[in-house]
Amino acid sequence: MISKVGVIGAGSMGTALAQSISTRVEEVILYGRRREVVDSVNNLRCNKNYFPSLHLNPNIRAKLTSDSLDLADCEAIIITIPSSEVRSAVNTIRDELSDTILITVAKGLEYPSLKTMSDVILEESKNPNIVSFSGPNFADEIVYGHLAGATIGTDNSSLREIMSDLFREFILDFSDDVRAVELCGVLKNVYAIGTGMWDSVYSNYNEHYMFLNMCYKEMCTFLREISRDKDIFTKFCCFGDFNLTANVDKSRNRTLGLMIGKNIIKTPYLDSGVTFEGSKSVKGIVELADRHNIDMPIAKFVYDVLSGNNNVRKTADFLVKYESSKR
Ligand SMILES: NC(=O)c1ccc[n+]([C@@H]2O[C@H](COP(=O)([O-])OP(=O)(O)OC[C@H]3O[C@@H](n4cnc5c(N)ncnc54)[C@H](O)[C@@H]3O)[C@@H](O)[C@H]2O)c1
Ligand SMILES: O=P(O)(O)OC[C@H](O)CO
């Protein structure tokens, strides 16, 4: 039984998971970069930047990442920062990560290495006890204790048991392919942006679900090539998270696609500070697909529009012609 957990990243998912697991452990330390967040957690008992109305459980403490982290006595550390920050963050704390369990939640791909976060964390920490956690998980629902499903990616049976207890608040399924679980989270963000773009041009239900099916078919084509877990397609990290993020306007990635398609924001858009993981990963997915000779026209559609090479309507129309030509 784990007694102390560190959560790196006091943002929406870090706060949500800290609250969720705090019922299962003695102490949770939430590590944030911003003093106002750390002070609000410790003094106001809320994360005023993300969930100001949510009272945090008493065994959650916050610390500044710039202070001494005292990570060594954390039996598990959950990394809930954007994927673009993971390598540098883990490199900074690598000496304190030697024999703890590292749980990666980030749904992004490193570029240009095309590595998933578990690869990056292993490279930086040299610690092989890395688990991936991914599923249809809006943080603002988890933080209030609503039910959610998640996939735990590990091929280690004792880690699986420990994760089952730590994430007792979740309905869990499991995969022995850590990387495949992560790639599901990366891919679904790309298709969420694509579906937002599509829905900004095509407004009927038939058109939406035709495109959704095309996206899921392409995602499964990629996973059949890459995943060791041949049952990944029906797991929370795959079907569940794909549908949650592509269909629900609360998704940042879907909303990004909608805003671009409706010309509310231009590409390449200003970095708003919002965590849009799909926009940072799509180029890597396109390159991975090319490397494995996998035809992924929708991922290319998303990349073309995000890189400013094309507008949504022209690219969507091209996609329709391309799909029609496959008869
Ligand atoms: N929000 C969700 O619903 C959700 C659900 C599942 C997975 N995720 C994934 O979790 C990851 C984090 O997303 P989020 O939604 O929590 O983003 P967020 O923008 O809400 O929070 C990210 C936090 O990380 C902090 N941060 C960045 N670099 C840091 C560093 N080096 N050290 C410490 N803190 C640092 C930022 O200040 C911010 O507070 C993403 O990969 C996302 O895809 C998010
Ligand atoms: O807001 P999004 O699009 O980053 O999605 C959040 C979570 O990944 C949903 O599972």
Side-chain angles (χ1 to χ4, degrees), residues 107 135-139 188-189 192 241 244-245 250-254 275-277:
K107 296 179 178 177
N137 298 159
F138 284 138
K188 67 88 184 174
N189 283 336
D241 205 7
L244 178 89
T245 318
K250 191 156 64 169
S251 154
R252 293 161 298 190
N253 286 283
R254 173 180 163 81
T275 300
F276 292 120
E277 285 280 17

Short mmCIF file of all heavy atoms in Angstrom, two decimals, residues 107 135-139 188-189 192 241 244-245 250-254 275-277, ligand 2:
data_model
loop_
_atom_site.label_atom_id
_atom_site.label_comp_id
_atom_site.label_asym_id
_atom_site.label_seq_id
_atom_site.Cartn_x
_atom_site.Cartn_y
_atom_site.Cartn_z
N LYS A 107 -0.45 13.21 -22.64
CA LYS A 107 -0.93 12.62 -23.91
C LYS A 107 -0.28 13.32 -25.10
O LYS A 107 -0.94 13.91 -25.95
CB LYS A 107 -2.46 12.73 -23.96
CG LYS A 107 -3.14 11.91 -22.86
CD LYS A 107 -4.65 12.03 -22.89
CE LYS A 107 -5.30 11.17 -21.81
NZ LYS A 107 -6.77 11.33 -21.76
N GLY A 135 -7.24 7.66 -20.30
CA GLY A 135 -8.62 7.24 -20.54
C GLY A 135 -9.50 8.46 -20.75
O GLY A 135 -9.01 9.60 -20.80
N PRO A 136 -10.81 8.24 -20.85
CA PRO A 136 -11.76 9.36 -21.02
C PRO A 136 -11.90 10.11 -19.69
O PRO A 136 -12.74 9.77 -18.86
CB PRO A 136 -13.06 8.64 -21.42
CG PRO A 136 -12.94 7.26 -20.92
CD PRO A 136 -11.49 6.94 -20.86
N ASN A 137 -11.04 11.08 -19.53
CA ASN A 137 -10.84 11.67 -18.19
C ASN A 137 -10.83 13.19 -18.25
O ASN A 137 -9.76 13.80 -18.32
CB ASN A 137 -9.49 11.22 -17.61
CG ASN A 137 -9.38 9.72 -17.41
OD1 ASN A 137 -8.28 9.18 -17.34
ND2 ASN A 137 -10.48 9.02 -17.33
N PHE A 138 -11.98 13.82 -18.24
CA PHE A 138 -11.99 15.27 -18.05
C PHE A 138 -11.69 15.57 -16.58
O PHE A 138 -12.39 15.10 -15.67
CB PHE A 138 -13.34 15.88 -18.43
CG PHE A 138 -13.58 16.00 -19.91
CD1 PHE A 138 -14.80 15.68 -20.47
CD2 PHE A 138 -12.58 16.45 -20.76
CE1 PHE A 138 -15.03 15.80 -21.83
CE2 PHE A 138 -12.78 16.58 -22.13
CZ PHE A 138 -14.01 16.25 -22.66
N ALA A 139 -10.63 16.35 -16.37
CA ALA A 139 -10.17 16.61 -15.00
C ALA A 139 -11.26 17.25 -14.15
O ALA A 139 -11.39 16.95 -12.95
CB ALA A 139 -8.94 17.52 -15.03
N LYS A 188 -5.88 10.29 -30.17
CA LYS A 188 -7.26 10.77 -29.99
C LYS A 188 -7.28 12.29 -29.96
O LYS A 188 -8.25 12.92 -30.38
CB LYS A 188 -7.89 10.15 -28.74
CG LYS A 188 -7.30 10.54 -27.40
CD LYS A 188 -7.94 11.79 -26.83
CE LYS A 188 -7.27 12.21 -25.55
NZ LYS A 188 -7.81 13.51 -25.06
N ASN A 189 -6.18 12.90 -29.50
CA ASN A 189 -6.13 14.38 -29.51
C ASN A 189 -6.07 14.91 -30.93
O ASN A 189 -6.69 15.92 -31.25
CB ASN A 189 -4.93 14.87 -28.71
CG ASN A 189 -5.16 14.79 -27.21
OD1 ASN A 189 -6.30 14.82 -26.75
ND2 ASN A 189 -4.09 14.69 -26.45
N ALA A 192 -9.47 14.57 -32.39
CA ALA A 192 -10.41 15.53 -31.77
C ALA A 192 -10.29 16.88 -32.48
O ALA A 192 -11.31 17.53 -32.80
CB ALA A 192 -10.10 15.68 -30.28
N ASP A 241 -11.71 7.24 -24.80
CA ASP A 241 -11.10 8.58 -24.84
C ASP A 241 -11.23 9.20 -26.23
O ASP A 241 -11.43 10.42 -26.36
CB ASP A 241 -9.62 8.47 -24.44
CG ASP A 241 -9.10 9.77 -23.87
OD1 ASP A 241 -9.89 10.71 -23.66
OD2 ASP A 241 -7.86 9.85 -23.64
N LEU A 244 -14.85 10.51 -26.25
CA LEU A 244 -15.04 11.65 -25.33
C LEU A 244 -14.47 12.91 -25.95
O LEU A 244 -15.13 13.95 -26.05
CB LEU A 244 -14.33 11.36 -24.01
CG LEU A 244 -14.41 12.50 -22.99
CD1 LEU A 244 -15.65 12.37 -22.13
CD2 LEU A 244 -13.17 12.53 -22.10
N THR A 245 -13.25 12.82 -26.43
CA THR A 245 -12.53 14.03 -26.86
C THR A 245 -13.00 14.53 -28.22
O THR A 245 -13.06 15.73 -28.46
CB THR A 245 -11.01 13.74 -26.89
OG1 THR A 245 -10.66 12.97 -25.74
CG2 THR A 245 -10.20 15.03 -26.87
N LYS A 250 -16.23 20.28 -24.54
CA LYS A 250 -15.37 20.62 -23.40
C LYS A 250 -13.91 20.29 -23.71
O LYS A 250 -12.99 20.80 -23.08
CB LYS A 250 -15.84 19.84 -22.16
CG LYS A 250 -15.23 20.27 -20.88
CD LYS A 250 -16.06 19.93 -19.66
CE LYS A 250 -16.27 18.47 -19.41
NZ LYS A 250 -16.87 18.22 -18.07
N SER A 251 -13.68 19.44 -24.68
CA SER A 251 -12.30 19.08 -25.04
C SER A 251 -11.58 20.26 -25.64
O SER A 251 -12.06 20.91 -26.57
CB SER A 251 -12.31 17.94 -26.07
OG SER A 251 -11.12 17.97 -26.86
N ARG A 252 -10.38 20.55 -25.12
CA ARG A 252 -9.57 21.64 -25.66
C ARG A 252 -9.17 21.35 -27.10
O ARG A 252 -9.15 22.23 -27.95
CB ARG A 252 -8.34 21.87 -24.78
CG ARG A 252 -8.67 22.39 -23.39
CD ARG A 252 -7.56 22.17 -22.41
NE ARG A 252 -7.27 20.75 -22.21
CZ ARG A 252 -6.45 20.30 -21.25
NH1 ARG A 252 -5.84 21.16 -20.43
NH2 ARG A 252 -6.24 19.02 -21.10
N ASN A 253 -8.84 20.09 -27.38
CA ASN A 253 -8.39 19.76 -28.74
C ASN A 253 -9.53 19.90 -29.74
O ASN A 253 -9.36 20.50 -30.80
CB ASN A 253 -7.83 18.32 -28.76
CG ASN A 253 -6.47 18.25 -28.09
OD1 ASN A 253 -5.46 18.64 -28.67
ND2 ASN A 253 -6.45 17.80 -26.85
N ARG A 254 -10.71 19.38 -29.39
CA ARG A 254 -11.86 19.55 -30.29
C ARG A 254 -12.18 21.03 -30.49
O ARG A 254 -12.40 21.51 -31.61
CB ARG A 254 -13.09 18.82 -29.73
CG ARG A 254 -14.35 19.09 -30.53
CD ARG A 254 -15.59 18.39 -30.02
NE ARG A 254 -16.78 19.01 -30.60
CZ ARG A 254 -17.25 18.74 -31.82
NH1 ARG A 254 -16.62 17.85 -32.57
NH2 ARG A 254 -18.32 19.34 -32.29
N THR A 275 -3.23 24.10 -22.80
CA THR A 275 -2.57 22.83 -23.15
C THR A 275 -3.32 22.16 -24.30
O THR A 275 -4.33 21.48 -24.09
CB THR A 275 -2.52 21.92 -21.91
OG1 THR A 275 -1.78 22.61 -20.90
CG2 THR A 275 -1.83 20.60 -22.23
N PHE A 276 -2.86 22.44 -25.52
CA PHE A 276 -3.41 21.79 -26.71
C PHE A 276 -2.42 20.71 -27.14
O PHE A 276 -1.55 20.94 -27.98
CB PHE A 276 -3.58 22.78 -27.86
CG PHE A 276 -4.64 23.84 -27.65
CD1 PHE A 276 -4.30 25.19 -27.66
CD2 PHE A 276 -5.97 23.49 -27.46
CE1 PHE A 276 -5.26 26.17 -27.49
CE2 PHE A 276 -6.95 24.47 -27.29
CZ PHE A 276 -6.58 25.81 -27.30
N GLU A 277 -2.50 19.52 -26.58
CA GLU A 277 -1.48 18.51 -26.85
C GLU A 277 -1.51 18.05 -28.31
O GLU A 277 -0.46 17.83 -28.91
CB GLU A 277 -1.69 17.29 -25.92
CG GLU A 277 -1.26 17.51 -24.51
CD GLU A 277 0.27 17.37 -24.32
OE1 GLU A 277 0.99 17.41 -25.33
OE2 GLU A 277 0.72 17.25 -23.18
O1 LIG B 2 -9.18 18.80 -23.14
P1 LIG B 2 -8.43 17.76 -23.92
O2 LIG B 2 -8.83 17.70 -25.37
O3 LIG B 2 -6.93 17.86 -23.70
O4 LIG B 2 -8.87 16.31 -23.34
C1 LIG B 2 -8.72 16.11 -21.96
C2 LIG B 2 -8.54 14.62 -21.70
O5 LIG B 2 -7.42 14.11 -22.39
C3 LIG B 2 -9.78 13.83 -22.03
O6 LIG B 2 -9.52 12.46 -21.79
#
